[in-house]
Amino acid sequence: MASDTITTKRKGDLAKLFQGTVELEGSCEGEAGLLDLRRTCIKNPKHDGFISVKDFNRSHLPLKYQHDEVFELTKVLAELTVRLAVQYISPDRPDFYAETDTPYPFASRKGTNFLQTGSGRVRRVMIFYEKDEEVCPCSECKDSESPVVEFGEIVVYTATHVVFDDVEARQTTVRFGFDDEDNVGVDLEGVYVMGNDKVNDICHLHCVSHDLDFLQKLYDTCLKCDGLSYNVLIRYDDTMFHDKLTLLVSHPHGCFKQISIGEWTDKDSESYPMTRYAYTAPTCPGSSGAFLFVLGREPYYYAYDHVHSGSNSITNFSSFGDESL
């Protein structure tokens, strides 16, 4: 479990609310140690409030939110949730957060092989065909005399403290479809990061696939997510400050994905349109980087991009995200 902390340059009670421990899961035993970490979890030993994807049904939502669009959107967000496994800590991770004396997550392990896991959410799929005259950037194609020219890049939103830079991206596997213990899903290779924001703790990780059928299905799921998001946005736009539903889909302890449901309790909007939230939706180590769904602020037009960042004894809290629509 990560013991590194998050801090903020703001002062006062609200600033203290957003200080705490990042929720990466670190394993000295590699993949084999993740189940043991889950069994010995200190934060939420019984993992109350987590709902497996295969068990999730409409009744898990609060009664007033059991509409078709909210239920279907939750399921689609689960489909787009991925597990991130970073095998190496970049030498370029800073020692401290900017302008603070707070150690940056896993700075003490930089330059070493060490497994840290987090979560993320597919936001965009770009499919390239031969006519596009692009070449796949994966490690296999990079060293090949005949690289693949029909491939796809998948953009995954996560937290910067999960995947810090290109060095870590190339040592990251992105696992799709890890829905239960019997379905471990498919691993894809990370290649680079864009939009890596150390201050707001948002990162856009790119991974690649040569499977055009898989890519098309994922592309269609993203379109479906945007359509459902718009419908939910319209339904709750007028009541967004009264309806405080929050949802997270993450991979606690690097294990199979779980849905958690709660409410947001506080909001930091001093730097609007950049905002961040405190909320009751359950999280655990391994939840860092999971997309935060807040009712009425759906990810339509790519604007809303808050992800889970950390936790303290009072609350769980997100990264900063752009809330302008």
Side-chain angles (χ1 to χ4, degrees):
M1 177 177 175
S3 58
D4 299 292
T5 57
I6 279 179
T7 191
T8 175
K9 290 182 285 184
R10 288 196 55 190
K11 298 179 180 180
D13 292 339
L14 189 61
K16 292 178 182 178
L17 193 66
F18 292 94
Q19 295 178 14
T21 304
V22 299
E23 293 208 296
L24 291 167
E25 183 64 281
S27 173
C28 296
E29 305 296 328
E31 290 273 350
L34 294 175
L35 281 175
D36 285 338
L37 289 167
R38 186 176 188 273
R39 283 192 289 265
T40 58
C41 175
I42 297 173
K43 181 182 181 183
N44 190 353
K46 296 183 179 180
H47 293 96
D48 294 330
F50 286 108
I51 308 159
S52 69
V53 173
K54 67 178 181 179
D55 293 334
F56 177 70
N57 60 62
R58 196 183 304 266
S59 66
H60 286 112
L61 292 166
L63 184 61
K64 66 182 296 186
Y65 304 123
Q66 292 178 7
H67 302 290
D68 289 345
E69 293 95 340
V70 177
F71 177 60
E72 291 299 325
L73 180 58
T74 305
K75 293 197 298 182
V76 169
L77 289 173
E79 287 184 54
L80 296 175
T81 296
V82 295
R83 191 200 73 166
L84 305 176
V86 186
Q87 304 285 345
Y88 178 76
I89 310 302
S90 173
D92 293 325
R93 281 199 174 222
D95 292 323
F96 303 97
Y97 282 95
E99 300 181 31
T100 77
D101 57 0
T102 303
Y104 197 80
F106 288 129
S108 62
R109 293 183 178 272
K110 60 185 179 179
T112 67
N113 294 313
F114 180 74
L115 174 66
Q116 61 179 29
T117 69
S119 303
R121 180 242 167 159
V122 174
R123 191 62 192 93
R124 187 181 180 196
V125 179
M126 300 171 287
I127 304 176
F128 300 98
Y129 299 96
E130 188 171 0
K131 63 181 177 61
D132 296 313
E133 299 183 350
E134 297 284 344
V135 174
C136 177
C138 77
S139 57
E140 182 180 341
C141 290
K142 196 174 182 180
D143 298 327
S144 173
E145 295 181 359
S146 54
V148 170
V149 294
E150 293 196 337
F151 66 98
E153 289 194 25
I154 302 164
V155 183
V156 173
Y157 281 15
T158 186
T160 299
H161 72 262
V162 176
V163 184
F164 182 75
D165 59 12
D166 289 352
V167 172
E168 291 186 2
R170 289 190 292 270
Q171 297 292 328
T172 297
T173 55
V174 184
R175 181 165 293 182
F176 293 76
F178 188 13
D179 291 347
D180 57 65
E181 292 175 300
D182 300 320
N183 185 6
V184 295
V186 176
D187 284 344
L188 297 184
E189 174 187 346
V191 285
Y192 62 93
V193 295
M194 291 187 68
N196 194 13
D197 188 333
K198 304 177 188 66
V199 175
N200 294 319
D201 203 24
I202 287 287
C203 169
H204 301 166
L205 170 68
H206 288 235
C207 62
V208 294
S209 174
H210 300 164
D211 187 337
L212 296 184
D213 290 338
F214 169 77
L215 290 162
Q216 186 62 54
K217 181 179 178 182
L218 200 58
Y219 179 88
D220 292 341
T221 304
C222 287
L223 287 182
K224 182 179 180 181
C225 184
D226 282 346
L228 287 166
S229 295
Y230 179 75
N231 291 341
V232 172
L233 179 66
I234 295 301
R235 176 184 285 274
Y236 291 100
D237 185 52
D238 292 337
T239 61
M240 61 185 292
F241 296 109
H242 302 288
D243 295 304
K244 297 191 174 184
L245 178 72
T246 59
L247 301 167
L248 278 164
V249 188
S250 70
H251 285 274
H253 307 290
C255 299
F256 57 89
K257 70 181 68 164
Q258 303 276 337
I259 297 169
S260 55
I261 300 169
E263 294 185 340
W264 65 270
T265 56
D266 287 279
K267 177 181 176 180
D268 179 357
S269 55
E270 184 179 78
S271 303
Y272 187 84
M274 301 304 291
T275 64
R276 55 184 172 175
Y277 287 88
Y279 40 87
T280 62
T283 62
C284 268
S287 295
S288 271
F291 173 73
L292 176 68
F293 171 93
V294 179
L295 199 65
R297 300 155 184 82
E298 284 72 24
Y300 190 62
Y301 291 133
Y302 296 89
Y304 180 86
D305 56 4
H306 299 62
V307 299
H308 179 60
S309 194
S311 178
N312 56 42
S313 61
I314 304 169
T315 190
N316 301 314
F317 55 87
S318 73
S319 68
F320 278 100
D322 187 345
E323 200 165 308
S324 59
L325 283 174

